């Protein structure tokens, strides 16, 4: 069985940083201790004081397969993910056809088994008439059900009160929500159209404002409290919504909240230079919202950091604002943005690990991942905070071929990524060997 000995690493785990060695045997962490003696057949990596962290577990990505593979695929986007230190992901149902049946869900698992470079799970999409499919979900093998409470099209938009009541009452798995109120957005649109014939990108956070977000997220929280549901509200973007969520550790919470890396990075001030590149739903909003969300990471009102990686082609983004699709590619650069926050002392490395690895593992009940512990799967990332990463469109690995971070130099570098003990990214190169990624399992 293959073995790797990582020497002299600054291991970040469960709130502490210690210099130690980590030995990987096969798929798992075999031993964590100082001065581990190498075996004759060990592959030895001298970390030289670099940080070794659990791989990021991204609970919100759009990898576009099936049906939208001109934008991305499970193979291409998981390749970019491991280059960015993401070792596990949970993927969304708004593909073509939408993932609204158990049969369609299992077809996606079959694709990932053949093509994914990172560990994987997939959400079932809720509709107003697929409650029986939702009730068939198995908490041990399915990550959750995604409810678009606004900002979606077709049958994935769930707004009927009786349908929402039934989902929150009967779902056997975690309910994750996109919360924006369609009626509030329509009211804002009507008001904006009274004063201007054509909307511009600067109007995006006005159209999808804090009231649109709060009206929907407060509705979701109210339903969860009424039915004692397990609810996770995705991509919080406004200061106003934070009051809906309890402070403190994630353990024992029925209702949790997430922030995404682009909402921690960009503000409306960036629309002037990036335009539709950062058009997303919910919208990138104001510096005061961004700063409040960063502060909420400290209080525990925001429990998890994810990406909402959602690639579109460059050509699709070059059209007028109202026609441009919402979403941006993020998985390759997500951890790097967070280490820039560490460099600027807005958060600590321990907090980054907590919000990107420990807390997703706890919230979803992921089996034997998200921590650096003996016996756990060796999903690990080696980070050098003394080296930098210059970003260009050309060195991004997304199928869409562009990144909103082009021209920026991050203050750190991802030097290695292990998925189930296999070194899949090293020396700025993704392995060309077959990767044995796995379906996530859950204990809940």
């Amino acid at each position: 069985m293959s073995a790797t000995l990582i020497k002299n690493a600054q291991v970040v785990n469960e709130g502490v940083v210690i210099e130690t060695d980590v030995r990987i045997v096969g798929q798992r962490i075999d031993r964590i201790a100082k001065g581990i003696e190498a075996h004759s057949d060990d592959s030895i990596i001298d970390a030289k004081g670099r940080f070794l962290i659990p791989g990021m577990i991204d609970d919100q990505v759009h990898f576009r397969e099936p049906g939208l593979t001109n934008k991305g695929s499970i193979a291409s986007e998981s390749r970019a993910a491991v280059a960015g230190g993401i070792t596990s992901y949970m993927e969304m149902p708004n593909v073509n056809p939408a993932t609204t049946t158990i049969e369609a869900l299992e077809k996606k698992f079959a694709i990932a088994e053949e093509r994914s470079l990172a560990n994987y799970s997939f959400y079932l999409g809720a509709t107003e008439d697929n409650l029986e499919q939702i009730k068939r979900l198995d908490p041990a093998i399915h990550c959750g059900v995604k409810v678009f409470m606004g900002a979606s099209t077709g049958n994935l938009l769930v707004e009927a009160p009786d349908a929402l009541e039934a989902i929150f009452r009967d779902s056997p798995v975690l309910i994750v929500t996109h919360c924006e109120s369609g009626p509030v957005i329509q009211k804002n649109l009507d008001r904006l159209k009274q004063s201007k014939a054509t909307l511009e990108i600067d109007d995006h956070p006005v159209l999808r404002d804090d009231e649109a977000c709060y009206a929907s997220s407060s509705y979701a929280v109210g339903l969860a409290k009424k039915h004692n549901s397990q609810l996770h509200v995705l991509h919080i973007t406004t200061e106003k919504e934070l009051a809906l969520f309890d402070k403190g550790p994630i353990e024992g919470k029925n209702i949790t909240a997430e922030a995404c890396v682009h909402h921690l990075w960009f503000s409306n001030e960036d629309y002037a230079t990036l335009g539709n590149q950062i058009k997303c739903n919910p919208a990138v909003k104001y510096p005061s919202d961004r700063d409040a969300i960063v502060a909420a990471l400290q209080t525990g009102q925001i429990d998890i950091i994810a990406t909402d990686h959602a690639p579109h082609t460059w050509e699709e983004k070059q059209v007028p604002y109202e026609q441009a699709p919402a979403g941006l590619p993020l998985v390759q650069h997500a951890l790097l943005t967070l280490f820039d926050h560490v460099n600027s002392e807005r958060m600590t490395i321990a907090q980054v690990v907590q919000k990107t690895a420990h807390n997703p593992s706890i919230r979803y009940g992921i089996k034997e991942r998200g921590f650096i512990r003996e016996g756990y799967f060796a999903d690990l990332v080696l980070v050098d905070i003394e080296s930098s990463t210059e970003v260009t469109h050309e060195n991004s690995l997304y199928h869409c071929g562009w990144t909103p971070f082009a021209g920026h130099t991050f203050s750190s570098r991802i030097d290695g990524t292990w998925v189930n003990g296999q070194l899949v990214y090293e020396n700025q190169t993704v392995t060309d060997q077959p990767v044995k990624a796995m379906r996530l399992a859950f204990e809940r």
Side-chain angles (χ1 to χ4, degrees):
M1 189 177 292
S2 63
T4 299
L5 179 58
I6 305 172
K7 300 284 291 182
N8 308 311
Q10 293 287 329
V11 171
V12 187
N13 190 58
E14 300 183 71
V16 298
V17 181
I18 58 171
E19 183 169 313
T20 191
D21 303 340
V22 176
R23 189 164 188 264
I24 302 166
V25 177
Q27 296 178 328
R28 296 180 181 267
I29 298 168
D30 175 64
R31 191 177 175 206
I32 305 168
K34 285 187 68 71
I36 297 176
E37 186 174 340
H39 296 188
S40 59
D41 57 349
D42 282 355
S43 173
I44 300 174
I45 294 176
D46 189 351
K48 298 178 180 177
R50 289 171 289 178
F51 289 96
L52 188 68
I53 67 174
M56 181 172 176
I57 301 171
D58 192 347
D59 73 4
Q60 188 186 182
V61 302
H62 302 262
F63 282 179
R64 305 304 193 194
E65 190 172 4
L68 303 170
T69 51
N70 63 311
K71 303 173 189 281
S73 67
I74 288 171
S76 67
E77 306 314 284
S78 66
R79 184 169 181 265
V82 298
I86 292 171
T87 55
S88 299
Y89 63 85
M90 303 175 210
E91 205 265 353
M92 289 297 166
N94 51 333
V95 287
N96 188 19
T99 315
T100 58
T101 66
I102 301 293
E103 180 184 11
L105 190 63
E106 292 303 321
K107 286 180 179 178
K108 289 175 75 172
F109 277 109
I111 295 170
E113 184 177 5
E114 294 293 324
R115 303 175 191 170
S116 184
L117 277 74
N119 304 311
Y120 50 86
S121 195
F122 298 93
Y123 295 95
L124 184 78
T127 72
E128 295 191 345
D129 58 6
N130 75 337
L131 181 63
E132 292 308 310
Q133 293 289 317
I134 294 170
K135 290 162 70 173
R136 287 175 55 197
L137 290 169
D138 183 344
I141 61 173
H142 297 129
C143 62
V145 59
K146 171 67 179 291
V147 184
F148 288 91
M149 295 177 64
S152 189
T153 58
N155 66 346
L156 281 177
L157 179 60
V158 184
E159 291 183 311
D162 58 342
L164 287 167
E165 289 276 355
I167 292 167
F168 277 77
R169 182 188 67 232
D170 294 337
S171 174
V173 296
L174 182 67
I175 299 164
V176 305
T177 54
H178 180 132
C179 288
E180 290 183 288
S181 168
V184 174
I185 292 170
Q186 185 61 51
K187 180 188 70 175
N188 292 340
L189 178 62
D190 293 343
R191 185 180 70 251
L192 284 165
K193 287 289 190 179
Q194 289 176 2
S195 59
K196 57 200 311 184
T198 303
L199 301 190
E200 304 292 340
I201 188 64
D202 286 343
D203 296 310
H204 199 50
V206 180
L207 177 65
R208 295 174 175 272
D209 64 0
D210 58 353
E211 183 54 40
C213 294
Y214 184 84
S216 184
S217 54
S218 60
Y219 183 21
V221 168
L223 285 170
K225 289 181 176 179
K226 176 180 178 180
H227 296 289
N228 199 30
S229 314
Q230 292 293 325
L231 170 66
H232 183 49
V233 183
L234 303 173
H235 43 44
I236 295 297
T237 60
T238 73
E239 182 176 8
K240 184 173 184 177
E241 291 170 281
L242 295 173
L244 296 169
F245 305 102
D246 291 338
K247 298 177 181 180
I250 195 170
E251 288 87 354
K253 288 183 179 180
N254 285 354
I255 299 169
T256 51
E258 170 199 284
C260 288
V261 292
H262 51 304
H263 297 125
L264 298 172
W265 186 272
F266 299 113
S267 76
N268 70 307
E269 295 171 354
D270 296 298
Y271 286 127
T273 54
L274 292 171
N276 291 336
Q277 289 182 56
I278 58 169
K279 180 183 177 182
C280 57
N281 299 333
V284 168
K285 294 188 173 67
Y286 306 100
S288 59
D289 292 302
R290 178 186 61 194
D291 294 344
I293 295 167
V294 172
L297 293 168
Q298 318 296 327
T299 66
Q301 289 168 290
I302 296 293
D303 303 283
I304 289 172
I305 299 174
T307 68
D308 196 17
H309 171 86
H312 297 283
T313 68
W314 182 257
E315 292 73 22
E316 288 174 314
K317 286 288 194 176
Q318 303 313 303
V319 300
Y321 157 71
E322 292 186 76
Q323 286 76 54
L328 57 159
L330 292 158
V331 288
Q332 187 178 345
H333 303 104
L335 270 177
L336 294 175
T337 70
L338 300 179
F339 274 90
D340 265 25
H341 289 309
V342 171
N343 188 55
S344 63
E345 300 184 343
R346 302 187 85 196
M347 60 184 75
T348 67
I349 293 177
Q351 287 169 337
V352 169
V353 168
Q354 179 191 53
K355 303 296 183 178
T356 63
H358 298 343
N359 281 4
S361 176
I362 293 167
R363 186 65 180 107
Y364 286 80
I366 300 171
K367 188 176 181 180
E368 299 172 335
R369 301 186 192 276
F371 295 85
I372 301 180
R373 294 173 176 169
E374 292 178 357
Y376 270 50
F377 287 102
D379 296 340
L380 303 169
V381 182
L382 191 63
V383 182
D384 186 351
I385 65 167
E386 303 297 330
S387 298
S388 60
T389 301
E390 183 180 349
V391 182
T392 66
H393 293 313
E394 291 72 23
N395 66 20
S396 69
L397 299 181
Y398 312 119
H399 181 74
C400 65
W402 65 274
T403 168
F405 300 108
H408 181 73
T409 299
F410 288 108
S411 61
S412 60
R413 185 178 69 201
I414 306 295
D415 279 355
T417 303
W418 287 262
V419 173
N420 303 320
Q422 181 180 356
L423 185 58
V424 298
Y425 179 75
E426 183 183 29
N427 297 325
Q428 311 302 297
T429 303
V430 178
T431 183
D432 58 3
Q433 299 300 306
V435 175
K436 299 175 183 177
M438 298 173 64
R439 179 173 181 158
L440 296 177
F442 307 94
E443 294 179 307
R444 53 190 180 182

Short mmCIF file of all heavy atoms in Angstrom, two decimals, residues 5-9 19-23 31-38:
data_model
loop_
_atom_site.label_atom_id
_atom_site.label_comp_id
_atom_site.label_asym_id
_atom_site.label_seq_id
_atom_site.Cartn_x
_atom_site.Cartn_y
_atom_site.Cartn_z
N LEU A 5 4.95 10.42 3.67
CA LEU A 5 5.29 11.06 4.94
C LEU A 5 5.53 12.54 4.69
O LEU A 5 6.46 12.92 3.96
CB LEU A 5 6.53 10.41 5.55
CG LEU A 5 7.02 10.99 6.89
CD1 LEU A 5 5.92 10.92 7.94
CD2 LEU A 5 8.27 10.27 7.36
N ILE A 6 4.67 13.37 5.27
CA ILE A 6 4.81 14.82 5.18
C ILE A 6 5.51 15.29 6.45
O ILE A 6 4.98 15.15 7.55
CB ILE A 6 3.45 15.51 5.02
CG1 ILE A 6 2.69 14.93 3.81
CG2 ILE A 6 3.62 17.02 4.86
CD1 ILE A 6 1.26 15.41 3.70
N LYS A 7 6.71 15.82 6.29
CA LYS A 7 7.54 16.22 7.43
C LYS A 7 7.46 17.72 7.67
O LYS A 7 7.32 18.52 6.73
CB LYS A 7 9.00 15.84 7.17
CG LYS A 7 9.25 14.34 6.94
CD LYS A 7 9.21 13.57 8.25
CE LYS A 7 10.39 13.90 9.15
NZ LYS A 7 10.36 13.10 10.41
N ASN A 8 7.55 18.10 8.94
CA ASN A 8 7.75 19.51 9.34
C ASN A 8 6.64 20.44 8.86
O ASN A 8 6.89 21.58 8.45
CB ASN A 8 9.11 20.01 8.81
CG ASN A 8 10.24 19.09 9.20
OD1 ASN A 8 10.37 18.72 10.37
ND2 ASN A 8 11.06 18.71 8.22
N ALA A 9 5.41 19.97 8.94
CA ALA A 9 4.27 20.79 8.51
C ALA A 9 3.70 21.58 9.69
O ALA A 9 3.72 21.12 10.83
CB ALA A 9 3.19 19.91 7.91
N GLU A 19 3.46 22.26 14.78
CA GLU A 19 4.42 21.71 13.82
C GLU A 19 4.56 20.22 14.09
O GLU A 19 4.90 19.80 15.21
CB GLU A 19 5.78 22.39 13.94
CG GLU A 19 6.76 21.88 12.89
CD GLU A 19 8.03 22.70 12.78
OE1 GLU A 19 7.91 23.94 12.72
OE2 GLU A 19 9.12 22.09 12.77
N THR A 20 4.31 19.41 13.09
CA THR A 20 4.32 17.97 13.26
C THR A 20 4.47 17.29 11.91
O THR A 20 4.52 17.95 10.87
CB THR A 20 3.03 17.50 13.98
OG1 THR A 20 3.16 16.14 14.36
CG2 THR A 20 1.80 17.68 13.10
N ASP A 21 4.54 15.96 11.94
CA ASP A 21 4.59 15.15 10.72
C ASP A 21 3.25 14.45 10.55
O ASP A 21 2.55 14.17 11.54
CB ASP A 21 5.70 14.09 10.80
CG ASP A 21 7.07 14.68 11.05
OD1 ASP A 21 7.26 15.90 10.81
OD2 ASP A 21 7.96 13.92 11.49
N VAL A 22 2.93 14.13 9.32
CA VAL A 22 1.70 13.40 9.01
C VAL A 22 2.06 12.27 8.05
O VAL A 22 2.64 12.53 6.98
CB VAL A 22 0.63 14.31 8.40
CG1 VAL A 22 -0.61 13.49 8.01
CG2 VAL A 22 0.24 15.42 9.36
N ARG A 23 1.69 11.06 8.41
CA ARG A 23 1.94 9.92 7.53
C ARG A 23 0.61 9.43 6.96
O ARG A 23 -0.36 9.21 7.68
CB ARG A 23 2.64 8.79 8.29
CG ARG A 23 3.12 7.65 7.37
CD ARG A 23 4.13 6.74 8.08
NE ARG A 23 4.73 5.80 7.15
CZ ARG A 23 4.30 4.56 6.97
NH1 ARG A 23 3.26 4.11 7.66
NH2 ARG A 23 4.90 3.77 6.11
N ARG A 31 -0.86 8.36 10.85
CA ARG A 31 -0.26 8.82 12.10
C ARG A 31 0.04 10.31 12.02
O ARG A 31 0.43 10.82 10.96
CB ARG A 31 1.02 8.05 12.39
CG ARG A 31 1.57 8.27 13.80
CD ARG A 31 2.80 7.44 14.07
NE ARG A 31 3.36 7.77 15.39
CZ ARG A 31 4.63 7.62 15.71
NH1 ARG A 31 5.49 7.14 14.82
NH2 ARG A 31 5.06 7.94 16.91
N ILE A 32 -0.13 10.99 13.15
CA ILE A 32 0.22 12.40 13.29
C ILE A 32 1.11 12.52 14.52
O ILE A 32 0.67 12.24 15.65
CB ILE A 32 -1.04 13.28 13.47
CG1 ILE A 32 -2.03 13.06 12.32
CG2 ILE A 32 -0.66 14.75 13.57
CD1 ILE A 32 -3.41 13.65 12.59
N ALA A 33 2.35 12.89 14.33
CA ALA A 33 3.29 13.01 15.46
C ALA A 33 4.56 13.70 15.00
O ALA A 33 4.86 13.73 13.80
CB ALA A 33 3.63 11.63 16.04
N LYS A 34 5.30 14.24 15.93
CA LYS A 34 6.60 14.80 15.60
C LYS A 34 7.62 13.68 15.45
O LYS A 34 7.58 12.69 16.18
CB LYS A 34 7.06 15.78 16.69
CG LYS A 34 6.36 17.12 16.65
CD LYS A 34 6.97 18.11 17.63
CE LYS A 34 8.36 18.52 17.22
NZ LYS A 34 8.34 19.39 16.02
N GLY A 35 8.51 13.84 14.48
CA GLY A 35 9.63 12.92 14.34
C GLY A 35 9.24 11.53 13.90
O GLY A 35 9.88 10.54 14.30
N ILE A 36 8.21 11.40 13.06
CA ILE A 36 7.86 10.07 12.54
C ILE A 36 9.01 9.55 11.69
O ILE A 36 9.51 10.23 10.81
CB ILE A 36 6.57 10.13 11.70
CG1 ILE A 36 5.38 10.58 12.57
CG2 ILE A 36 6.28 8.77 11.07
CD1 ILE A 36 4.09 10.76 11.80
N GLU A 37 9.41 8.32 11.96
CA GLU A 37 10.51 7.72 11.22
C GLU A 37 10.01 7.20 9.88
O GLU A 37 8.99 6.48 9.82
CB GLU A 37 11.13 6.58 12.02
CG GLU A 37 12.38 5.99 11.39
CD GLU A 37 13.05 4.96 12.28
OE1 GLU A 37 12.78 4.96 13.50
OE2 GLU A 37 13.82 4.14 11.74
N ALA A 38 10.70 7.56 8.82
CA ALA A 38 10.30 7.15 7.48
C ALA A 38 10.55 5.66 7.27
O ALA A 38 11.56 5.12 7.72
CB ALA A 38 11.04 7.96 6.43
#
